[in-house]
Amino acid sequence: MDNFYALIARMKNIGRWELMRSLMPENVQEHSHMVAVLAHALAVIRRDVFGRPCDPNQAAAIALFHDAGEILTGDLPTPIKYHSPELMTAYRQVEEAASERLLDMLPEAMRPAYAPLLTPTDPEMKALVKGADKLAAYIKCIEERRAGNDEFLQAERKSLETLQSYGLPEVDYFLERFIPAFELTLDELGSMEYQEPALPGT
């Protein structure tokens, strides 16, 4: 009996932002889906806007599993996770060990397909998924603020600063072209017509 998929299904039981007062609770499964959507978008931007080779499907698949290790470790609150470099390093090691443990729960014949997703090694793809992860957090903060919750104001500012510090043109493009729409109501979103934006630098 293999437990891998039954454990993956339990990602929905792991809450995020546990120390924050959220008006819209979010779990790791929901977050992972949004990160996959955003990672796919960033990869398409890299490939089709900036003309650099990139596989959007691989980016989306890695993003779907980027927090899978939390099934075994739980989601450590940010103030603790980033308290010190030593603690960050130790937690990354725990996350890596958890991902390896999940990989071992698959039949041996399936492990080569999942190893690049659970334990990715491509630094450029890892950076892209990291950007998508932070974008998802930033969007969550915007949604909470727009719902009248000021608990996320500082997290929103810090998330934006972090995104801008990454130096990823795909993230900058997304921030400029797509983030403003998250400030709109449903009626405003429905009434807008798409306009082709100018390419960067034009």
Side-chain angles (χ1 to χ4, degrees):
M1 182 173 64
D2 298 303
N3 300 339
F4 180 82
Y5 295 105
L7 281 170
I8 290 294
R10 290 177 177 261
M11 289 172 72
K12 61 181 172 288
N13 298 329
I14 305 170
R16 285 176 51 80
W17 308 94
E18 290 292 284
L19 297 181
M20 308 280 278
R21 178 177 57 84
S22 300
L23 296 180
M24 298 168 285
E26 179 184 52
N27 62 54
V28 171
Q29 190 176 76
E30 294 167 330
H31 168 70
S32 297
H33 172 267
M34 190 60 183
V35 176
V37 170
L38 295 170
H40 186 274
L42 294 180
V44 170
I45 292 168
R46 173 172 292 183
R47 185 190 65 189
D48 297 346
V49 176
F50 295 108
R52 295 178 55 196
C54 196
D55 183 350
N57 294 331
Q58 182 188 23
I62 292 172
L64 278 174
F65 290 95
H66 82 285
D67 276 342
E70 291 184 3
I71 298 166
L72 303 178
T73 67
D75 183 25
L76 194 66
T78 296
I80 299 173
K81 190 184 301 184
Y82 298 107
H83 177 70
S84 68
E86 294 79 13
L87 195 53
M88 287 174 58
T89 299
Y91 187 68
R92 286 197 188 100
Q93 292 172 344
V94 170
E95 286 182 316
E96 290 171 2
S99 295
E100 291 285 355
R101 178 73 183 98
L102 282 172
L103 191 62
D104 289 342
M105 293 180 182
L106 284 164
E108 189 171 352
M110 296 176 66
R111 291 175 196 170
Y114 281 85
L117 309 181
L118 289 166
T119 58
T121 56
D122 181 347
E124 289 200 1
M125 192 61 74
K126 289 170 68 175
L128 209 63
V129 172
K130 183 179 179 181
D133 188 23
K134 185 57 70 173
L135 266 176
Y138 180 49
I139 290 167
K140 166 65 174 174
C141 293
I142 292 173
E143 292 171 341
E144 289 285 340
R145 169 179 48 81
R146 283 186 47 75
N149 184 8
D150 61 4
E151 181 86 359
F152 283 75
L153 291 179
Q154 184 175 357
E156 180 180 352
R157 287 192 295 270
K158 288 186 174 181
S159 294
L160 179 57
E161 290 172 0
T162 300
L163 286 165
Q164 292 171 333
S165 75
Y166 283 162
L168 288 173
E170 300 83 5
V171 167
D172 295 338
Y173 184 94
F174 194 96
L175 288 172
E176 179 183 354
R177 306 292 181 177
F178 297 109
I179 285 297
F182 287 89
E183 300 286 354
L184 302 179
T185 65
L186 179 60
D187 289 338
E188 290 169 332
L189 287 169
S191 66
M192 294 182 66
E193 294 184 1
Y194 177 75
Q195 294 181 354
E196 183 70 33
L199 290 174
T202 62

